[in-house]
C-alpha cells in the first residue's frame, strides 16, 4: 500500500507550488519558523483549530483502541464479525469523504461540516454508552464513521484556509503534528479507562472531549467554503471581476 501511494503521488499528484513560483524566490529575509509558541500567542484561530484537532483525534484513537474489546465483551462477537464491523466503518468513512463532504462544504462551509462531524461522532458515542443492543450499536458506529470522515476532511481544509500562501506548509505541519500527538496519547490511557473505570468510560471521556471541541468551533470566524473563497477572490484561484471602466 505504501509503494502504491508513493507511485500514485509521483505520477498523479500535482505540485501545489508552480515551477515558475519556485524559481522566482524574492530576495528578502527569511521569516522565522512557525513554532507552537508563535501559534499560541499570535494566531488564535490556528490555536483553536489545533485544540479541536487534538480533542477530535484523541477521542477517535481512544475509541478505536478499545472498540474490539468492547464488541467482544458486550456483543460476544468473534474476530470475523469484528473485522466486518471495522470494514463497514472504513466503507462509511470513504463514502463520506468521497461523495458527501464536497457538496456539503460547498453549500454550507467547512465550519458547518466540522460541527456536523463532531456532533455525529458525539451522538454515536452516547449510543454506545447507553445501549449494547446490536441495532443501536450499528447506528452508533455508523455515526462515528460519518463523523470521522467529516471532521477529518474539514480540519485540514480550515487550517489551509487560514494560512497565507507562503506559510501554508508550516500551518499544515501544525495540523499533522497535533493529530499525530493525539493519536499517540489516546491509546496510552484508553485501556486503563476501560479496565479500571468501566467498559463505557472511554466513550464517556470522548463525549466530554468532543463537547469541548464542539463549543470551541463557535469561536472560529466565518466558514472557509469554496463559495466564500470565490466571492473574496482569494486562495481558491478565482479572481474578483474587474471594476467597470471609467467614463
Amino acid at each position: 500500500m505504501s509503494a502504491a501511494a508513493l507511485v500514485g503521488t509521483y505520477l498523479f499528484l500535482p505540485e501545489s507550488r508552480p515551477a515558475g513560483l519556485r524559481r522566482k524566490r524574492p530576495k528578502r529575509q527569511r521569516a522565522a519558523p512557525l513554532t507552537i509558541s508563535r501559534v499560541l500567542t499570535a494566531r488564535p484561530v490556528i490555536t483553536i483549530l489545533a485544540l479541536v484537532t487534538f480533542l477530535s483525534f484523541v477521542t477517535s484513537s481512544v475509541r478505536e483502541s478499545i472498540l474490539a474489546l468492547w464488541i467482544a465483551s458486550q456483543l460476544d462477537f468473534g474476530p470475523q464479525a469484528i473485522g466486518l464491523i471495522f470494514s463497514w466503518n472504513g466503507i462509511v468513512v470513504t463514502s463520506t469523504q468521497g461523495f458527501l463532504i464536497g457538496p456539503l462544504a460547498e453549500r454550507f462551509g467547512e465550519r458547518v461540516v466540522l460541527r456536523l462531524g463532531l456532533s455525529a461522532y458525539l451522538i454515536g458515542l452516547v449510543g454506545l454508552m447507553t445501549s449494547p443492543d446490536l441495532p443501536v450499536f450499528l447506528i452508533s458506529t455508523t455515526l462515528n464513521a460519518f463523523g470521522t470522515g467529516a471532521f477529518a476532511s474539514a480540519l485540514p481544509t480550515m487550517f489551509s484556509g487560514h494560512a497565507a500562501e507562503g506559510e501554508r506548509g508550516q500551518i499544515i505541519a501544525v495540523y499533522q503534528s497535533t493529530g499525530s500527538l493525539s493519536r499517540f496519547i489516546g491509546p496510552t490511557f484508553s485501556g486503563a479507562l476501560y479496565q479500571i473505570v468501566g467498559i463505557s468510560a472511554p466513550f464517556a471521556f470522548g463525549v466530554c472531549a468532543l463537547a469541548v471541541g464542539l463549543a470551541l468551533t463557535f469561536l472560529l470566524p466565518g466558514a472557509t467554503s469554496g463559495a466564500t473563497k470565490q466571492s473574496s477572490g482569494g486562495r481558491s484561484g478565482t479572481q474578483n471581476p474587474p471594476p467597470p471602466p471609467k467614463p
Side-chain angles (χ1 to χ4, degrees):
M1 295 298 292
S2 297
L6 176 63
V7 173
T9 300
Y10 182 79
L11 294 178
F12 305 112
L13 190 65
E15 173 58 55
S16 60
R17 190 174 177 85
L21 186 59
R22 295 199 302 271
R23 287 193 295 265
K24 296 179 181 180
R25 295 184 178 181
K27 296 181 179 179
R28 57 183 176 85
Q29 186 178 1
R30 184 178 176 84
L34 190 65
T35 62
I36 295 297
S37 60
R38 285 185 61 201
V39 170
L40 293 175
T41 56
R43 305 295 297 275
V45 173
I46 302 301
T47 302
I48 294 172
L49 286 172
L51 289 172
V52 175
T53 299
F54 180 83
L55 293 170
S56 303
F57 284 106
V58 78
T59 296
S60 64
S61 66
V62 166
R63 171 191 173 272
E64 291 164 5
S65 61
I66 59 93
L67 185 61
L69 297 175
W70 188 91
I71 294 172
S73 172
Q74 296 298 299
L75 301 176
D76 197 25
F77 283 0
Q80 184 176 5
I82 293 174
L84 290 174
I85 290 171
F86 277 97
S87 297
W88 169 248
N89 275 263
I91 292 172
V92 174
V93 171
T94 303
S95 301
T96 299
Q97 294 180 328
F99 301 106
L100 295 179
I101 297 305
L104 287 173
E106 285 294 326
R107 182 171 179 83
F108 302 107
E110 280 84 7
R111 185 173 57 173
V112 173
V113 173
L114 175 60
R115 290 174 182 166
L116 181 63
L118 295 177
S119 300
Y121 205 105
L122 190 153
I123 294 171
L125 291 179
V126 172
L128 293 177
M129 287 174 54
T130 56
S131 176
D133 181 70
L134 180 58
V136 175
F137 166 77
L138 292 176
I139 295 172
S140 300
T141 193
T142 300
L143 287 172
N144 289 154
F146 169 80
T148 300
F151 70 68
S153 299
L155 281 168
T157 304
M158 295 185 72
F159 270 92
S160 179
H162 289 290
E165 186 173 348
E167 64 176 9
R168 195 165 297 156
Q170 293 173 314
I171 295 296
I172 292 298
V174 174
Y175 163 74
Q176 294 285 2
S177 59
T178 304
S180 298
L181 178 64
S182 62
R183 292 185 185 96
F184 164 76
I185 290 177
T188 61
F189 63 86
S190 60
L193 287 176
Y194 180 86
Q195 185 173 4
I196 299 173
V197 181
I199 58 175
S200 294
F203 304 145
F205 165 82
V207 169
C208 296
L210 288 186
V212 174
L214 187 60
L216 287 174
T217 63
F218 289 90
L219 300 178
L220 293 170
T224 56
S225 65
T228 303
K229 292 179 182 178
Q230 290 177 6
S231 65
S232 62
R235 289 179 288 271
S236 63
T238 59
Q239 296 180 353
N240 290 326
K246 296 181 179 180

